[in-house]
Amino acid sequence: MRPAGFGNFLLLASSLLFVGLSAVPQSFSPSLRSGLGAACRLSRAESERRCRAPGQPPGGALCHGRGRCDCGVCICHVSEPGVYFGPLCECHEWMCETYDGSTCAGHGTCDCGKCRCDGGWSGDACQYPKTCDLTKKQSNQMCKNSQDIICSNAGTCHCGRCKCDNSDGNGLVYGKFCECDDRECIDDETEEICGGICVCGECSCHDVDPTGDWGDIHGDTCECDERDCKAVYDRYSDDFCSGHGQCNCGRCDCKVGWYGKKCEHPRSCPLSAEESIKKCQGSSALPCSGRGKCECGECTCYPPGGGRVYGKTCECDDRRCEDLDGVVCGGHGTCSCGRCICGRGWFGKLCQHPRKCNLTEEQSRSLCESADGVLCSGKGSCHCGKCICSAEEWYISGEFCDCDDRDCDKHDGLICTGNGICSCGNCECWDGWNGNACEIWLGTEYP
């Protein structure tokens, strides 16, 4: 049985997560994701099943309501490291079930988020005495809610304390008087609880939006996501429906003369083809930087809805911050418009080089020598056992600067069509693309 104060705690926890840190995620298995940021290989149902406690039915809280589920892995939300922990965020070092304002009802100790009851007491919050000295009338009187209904007709009274009806074990009915019924939050079609957190029978969408723009997500079951209406050219923009329509529950209803998922396309274009292309080029030599489709001077970046290619002329490509394993900026920096901003103590295009080195110069040089004994193939310098290829020859790459990226296939004048990484003469395509030059879009519709 969950306490009356539990709903308030959840609301507090959902507020804290936006100013808090995140627990370090568990490593994603290669079988689940092909790389950081790649699509999850699990179905949504399977992913959520892995994030739900054993025996808990569909619709139950994911990660015990203390974290978010990402491809079958719980990432716990914390106000300080270690507050929530465990594979399913099941452990909580400072908060156990409470009853009538007291942790473990004052009759037990808190251990990993669960009450260990003293002798003579039982229940999730140690709220039930094993022997009772109350008459039935006295007991029932203590179990009446503000409407004089015993346990809100959603439970039974045991020695002045309500035991809520939860025969299926999902814990959806709780509260001192069983006044909270989270079954009210279950969507009839998906059988899931809201899209966020259910607080005493009412949906709270605050926990859904990691940006903190709580007003963007709403609806009886948090089904409406206004972020889906934001302008295509800037994922951080507040310009809904490109300024040419009304956002209704995450769908743009366009004004007369405009169309598109986000009302980004005019039905009749006043620009000539040359004018349209010029507006789409910006400072790039190619329309939409070769990474999007130009229509009447407006760019739609590829892949549609991907989010990692953005900007008014698709000039920002955050995929360029990833290595072949999908790690962003070597794990030592942040990506800004396709360029890595390295953290203190790291440098390099992908923040892959530490500034301090614990190797001697001799040890370092020995690690940089190629099979023929030449240091970095004569095309780079050696730093801490790793080759830094010449910046003047942009096409030189590889562990020993022995690769020539000009050998990779091109399409539309771009190496790997801008949709992959040139790896020693061969294109390694990003998810959603295929072909020798990564020129083939594998989506349901060619962009």
Side-chain angles (χ1 to χ4, degrees):
M1 169 175 160
R2 284 189 278 183
F6 187 79
N8 292 332
F9 161 69
L10 280 181
L11 193 57
L12 173 62
S14 66
S15 300
L16 284 175
L17 81 91
F18 295 111
V19 296
L21 304 172
S22 292
V24 178
Q26 302 175 42
S27 298
F28 294 131
S29 165
S31 63
L32 305 184
R33 289 187 185 275
S34 56
L36 190 65
C40 180
R41 295 181 184 276
L42 297 177
S43 67
R44 180 177 179 181
E46 175 61 18
S47 174
E48 293 186 352
R49 184 190 69 78
R50 296 187 182 204
C51 291
R52 195 175 285 117
Q56 196 174 19
L62 301 179
C63 306
H64 286 82
R66 297 166 176 166
R68 64 182 175 85
C69 181
D70 191 330
C71 198
V73 175
C74 283
I75 300 176
C76 304
H77 298 317
V78 297
S79 57
E80 57 183 278
V83 171
Y84 298 119
F85 55 98
L88 297 175
C89 308
E90 68 274 19
C91 294
H92 188 187
E93 71 174 14
W94 57 269
M95 188 69 183
C96 273
E97 297 280 4
T98 64
Y99 181 81
D100 204 16
S102 297
T103 301
C104 302
H107 304 299
T109 56
C110 185
D111 181 11
C112 186
K114 293 184 178 180
C115 290
R116 305 299 178 190
C117 300
D118 298 335
W121 295 88
S122 64
D124 291 341
C126 303
Q127 70 272 46
Y128 302 124
K130 291 184 177 179
T131 58
C132 184
D133 56 1
L134 298 176
T135 66
K136 185 174 182 179
K137 183 177 181 180
Q138 290 173 324
S139 175
N140 287 342
Q141 190 63 35
M142 292 173 64
C143 287
K144 289 182 179 180
N145 64 15
S146 57
Q147 286 80 40
D148 282 336
I149 300 174
I150 296 175
C151 299
S152 306
N153 286 332
T156 53
C157 186
H158 293 265
C159 198
R161 294 163 174 82
C162 288
K163 188 171 185 178
C164 304
D165 294 334
N166 277 300
S167 57
D168 50 8
N170 56 22
L172 295 179
V173 182
Y174 57 99
K176 183 178 180 180
F177 301 107
C178 304
E179 70 276 16
C180 296
D181 189 347
D182 283 359
R183 292 174 298 186
E184 298 295 326
C185 295
I186 296 178
D187 187 283
D188 293 335
E189 295 182 2
T190 65
E191 296 185 350
E192 295 178 356
I193 295 181
C194 305
I197 284 180
C198 188
V199 180
C200 199
E202 294 186 1
C203 282
S204 171
C205 306
H206 297 175
D207 192 42
V208 192
D209 188 353
T211 66
D213 296 329
W214 294 354
D216 284 353
I217 300 179
H218 59 93
D220 290 341
T221 58
C222 304
E223 74 279 9
C224 298
D225 191 344
E226 302 272 321
R227 296 172 301 177
D228 290 339
C229 294
K230 289 193 175 181
V232 294
Y233 57 78
D234 188 352
R235 60 179 177 170
Y236 300 115
S237 171
D238 288 328
D239 188 2
F240 291 91
C241 302
S242 306
H244 305 302
Q246 176 70 38
C247 186
N248 293 314
C249 196
R251 187 192 73 247
C252 284
D253 292 331
C254 302
K255 294 178 182 177
V256 175
W258 294 87
Y259 74 101
K261 185 178 180 181
K262 299 179 183 179
C263 306
E264 68 270 30
H265 303 305
R267 293 195 177 277
S268 59
C269 182
L271 302 177
S272 66
E274 293 76 13
E275 290 172 328
S276 175
I277 290 175
K278 187 175 181 180
K279 286 192 68 175
C280 287
Q281 280 181 312
S283 59
S284 172
L286 294 172
C288 303
S289 306
R291 305 185 189 104
K293 177 173 58 177
C294 178
E295 288 186 342
C296 197
E298 298 280 348
C299 288
T300 300
C301 304
Y302 301 159
R308 288 188 291 167
V309 181
Y310 55 98
K312 194 167 185 179
T313 58
C314 305
E315 69 275 14
C316 296
D317 188 348
D318 284 356
R319 300 173 300 183
R320 297 189 177 278
C321 293
E322 301 176 7
D323 61 20
L324 289 174
D325 295 322
V327 178
V328 176
C329 300
H332 306 298
T334 57
C335 187
S336 176
C337 195
R339 293 181 179 273
C340 285
I341 301 174
C342 301
R344 181 176 297 177
W346 295 88
F347 73 101
K349 183 179 178 182
L350 296 177
C351 305
Q352 72 272 42
H353 301 299
R355 293 192 180 276
K356 292 183 178 180
C357 182
N358 58 4
L359 299 178
T360 65
E361 184 176 352
E362 184 179 350
Q363 290 172 327
S364 177
R365 289 176 63 88
S366 68
L367 294 172
C368 289
E369 289 181 356
S370 54
D372 55 7
V374 178
L375 193 70
C376 299
S377 305
K379 299 176 182 178
S381 60
C382 182
H383 173 77
C384 202
K386 291 187 178 181
C387 289
I388 302 176
C389 303
S390 172
E392 295 179 1
E393 297 176 291
W394 61 266
Y395 45 85
I396 299 300
S397 64
E399 184 178 0
F400 298 103
C401 302
D402 51 343
C403 298
D404 190 331
D405 286 354
R406 293 175 298 183
D407 293 337
C408 277
D409 290 314
K410 296 181 180 180
H411 184 72
D412 284 343
L414 293 174
I415 292 175
C416 303
T417 324
N419 298 312
I421 298 175
C422 184
S423 177
C424 214
N426 293 304
C427 290
E428 297 285 346
C429 303
W430 284 309
D431 284 349
W433 297 91
N434 204 348
N436 291 336
C438 305
E439 75 278 16
I440 301 172
W441 168 243
L442 299 177
T444 55
E445 181 180 343
Y446 191 85

